[in-house]
Amino acid sequence: MLIRKPSDVVPSEITPPEVYSRRREFIKSAVALGLAAGFGSGSLRPAFAAAKLAPLRKGAFSTDEKMTPFEAVTTYNNFYEFGTGKEDPSQRAGSLRTRPWTVRIDGEVKKPKVFDIEELLKLAPLEERIYRMRCVEGWSMVIPWVGYPLSEMIKRVEPTGNAKFVEFTTLLDRQQMPGQSVDVLEWPYIEGLRMDEAMHPLTLLTLGLYGEVLPNQNGAPVRVVVPWKYGFKSGKSIVRIRFSAEMPRTSWMVAVPNEYGFFSNVNPKVDHPRWSQAKERRIGDLLKRETLMFNGYGDQVASLYTGMDLRKHF
Ligand SMILES: Nc1nc2c(c(=O)[nH]1)N[C@H]1C(S)=C(S)[C@@H](COP(=O)(O)O)O[C@H]1N2
Ligand SMILES: [Mo]
């Protein structure tokens, strides 16, 4: 069968050698840090033939902190649709078919629409956004995402005055997503944002990382990235975006309501009921570091929550 690639990809730019050299760099630094055991098995697998996303604008809000190596970003994942182990997604997500792919936009919008993935790739100029990402489990990474503000897409479907929330639904398909045969969560995976959060310029409709189309394990072919919230708010492999008057029932709130709230803003002062959130381990580092309020994006987003008790609205 034919493997389609994004139409703006220059064939000569499908270049595995780059992946290899980056991989070698990673192996060197991983060995130096004594992390080889953790990611070693992944580094022996052949590189996937990734398609370059070009040209890229340098996006706003990017951090200049050291980026987490590609190898770690793509082999240490949470994507329960492929299993709950960190290496399960990179080892098992090959069964996900990312073409053809559509994203249905419906609910409280004047112009409901079904976007084809090729259309989404061209909807607005792609930017590189280097964001800090913080998982609720206590680890973090710095990832160069590729995408554009979700607001670019939202503008085009014209939400009605009743639209107060946005709900994101991941693909439901047990054949392609074997982890959905296990009842760890209610499937499909559902996440949501308040309308002002979804419209915020930091919120990214994400189509790639490290200048390439998203690897399956990172939520191909399209996901959202919300860098001031815990990682689970950034839903992967999205097939539907619904606008509503009511707060969505998100998968994590349904599963464990006392542990995972709707907002889930990164907050070192509000502990998870079973562990502290004061510190985090940046993948690749030996020592923990302090977790920053709103994951360091407070200047941009704190005003969204003025007057709210963030202990109550966790
Ligand atoms: N559909 C879906 N989206 C998901 C998850 C998941 O299990 N299923 N895991 C979340 C969690 S807990 C994190 S930390 C991030 C991890 O994204 P990454 O693997 O690209 O770093 O994805 C989030 N999005
Ligand atoms: Mo997470």
Side-chain angles (χ1 to χ4, degrees):
M1 93 169 226
L2 287 173
I3 296 166
R4 289 169 69 199
K5 56 187 187 339
S7 48
D8 52 349
V9 168
V10 181
S12 65
E13 286 183 325
I14 302 173
T15 47
E18 253 190 46
V19 178
Y20 286 122
S21 63
R22 213 169 34 215
R23 190 167 298 249
R24 227 171 282 123
E25 250 173 60
F26 169 77
I27 293 167
K28 266 192 264 157
S29 53
V31 168
L33 286 167
L35 289 176
F39 300 115
S41 60
S43 43
L44 297 174
R45 284 194 307 279
F48 62 93
K52 275 248 169 196
L53 290 170
L56 287 183
R57 296 208 302 200
K58 174 112 185 104
F61 308 115
S62 285
T63 173
D64 53 15
E65 284 165 83
K66 188 161 131 332
M67 291 186 283
T68 303
F70 178 88
E71 180 75 17
V73 171
T74 56
T75 60
Y76 191 85
N77 303 102
N78 273 340
F79 200 169
Y80 280 14
E81 284 84 341
F82 298 100
T84 53
K86 293 290 179 274
E87 297 218 343
D88 288 342
S90 56
Q91 285 170 359
R92 300 169 73 192
S95 53
L96 175 65
R97 294 189 307 271
T98 58
R99 293 294 189 283
W101 191 278
T102 56
V103 183
R104 171 158 57 110
I105 318 296
D106 61 0
E108 291 289 347
V109 287
K110 290 180 202 131
K111 296 183 172 168
K113 186 175 160 66
V114 176
F115 282 103
D116 189 85
I117 187 65
E118 312 297 344
E119 206 178 339
L120 283 179
L121 275 158
K122 285 181 290 193
L123 191 76
L126 293 174
E127 301 174 22
E128 176 163 84
R129 298 275 187 108
I130 307 172
Y131 283 167
R132 286 180 293 277
M133 302 300 290
R134 169 63 154 82
C135 177
V136 74
E137 296 164 349
W139 48 270
S140 64
M141 297 193 188
V142 174
I143 304 180
W145 299 111
V146 179
Y148 47 77
L150 176 64
S151 64
E152 291 284 346
M153 191 275 280
I154 295 181
K155 281 189 312 213
R156 287 165 171 82
V157 296
E158 300 180 23
T160 71
N162 295 329
K164 299 282 182 276
F165 294 93
V166 190
E167 177 188 83
F168 306 92
T169 305
T170 296
L171 176 70
L172 177 65
D173 184 328
R174 285 188 185 193
Q175 246 69 56
Q176 295 185 62
M177 298 180 146
Q180 290 179 337
S181 299
V182 185
D183 283 338
V184 276
L185 288 174
E186 202 177 87
W187 308 111
Y189 192 98
I190 289 178
E191 257 312 330
L193 295 172
R194 210 169 57 188
M195 196 64 188
D196 58 343
E197 298 175 324
M199 288 298 290
H200 193 282
L202 272 170
T203 303
L204 208 64
L205 193 73
T206 303
L207 298 144
L209 59 78
Y210 268 104
E212 297 168 1
V213 297
L214 278 176
N216 288 359
Q217 58 268 37
N218 294 92
V222 59
R223 70 177 300 178
V224 287
V225 167
V226 194
W228 72 95
K229 293 177 179 283
Y230 292 117
F232 67 84
K233 297 296 291 181
S234 297
K236 295 177 166 181
S237 304
I238 289 168
V239 293
R240 183 181 184 190
I241 299 178
R242 185 175 71 91
F243 294 77
S244 63
E246 291 87 37
M247 184 179 282
R249 288 172 75 250
T250 71
S251 294
W252 281 107
M253 288 172 76
V254 169
V256 208
N258 63 317
E259 297 189 359
Y260 305 106
F262 180 78
F263 288 94
S264 289
N265 293 312
V266 174
N267 189 338
K269 292 190 216 104
V270 177
D271 289 338
H272 186 280
R274 292 184 282 133
W275 60 82
S276 163
Q277 292 291 28
K279 293 189 172 192
E280 68 196 61
R281 189 172 70 87
R282 180 68 51 86
I283 296 296
D285 284 0
L286 295 176
L287 299 176
K288 288 191 177 180
R289 64 177 69 204
E290 307 276 319
T291 284
L292 303 173
M293 186 66 203
F294 297 115
N295 203 23
Y297 298 98
D299 287 351
Q300 285 78 41
V301 302
S303 63
L304 299 178
Y305 310 103
T306 36
M308 273 175 67
D309 180 352
L310 296 179
R311 221 162 258 290
K312 197 169 145 223
H313 300 283
F314 59 97

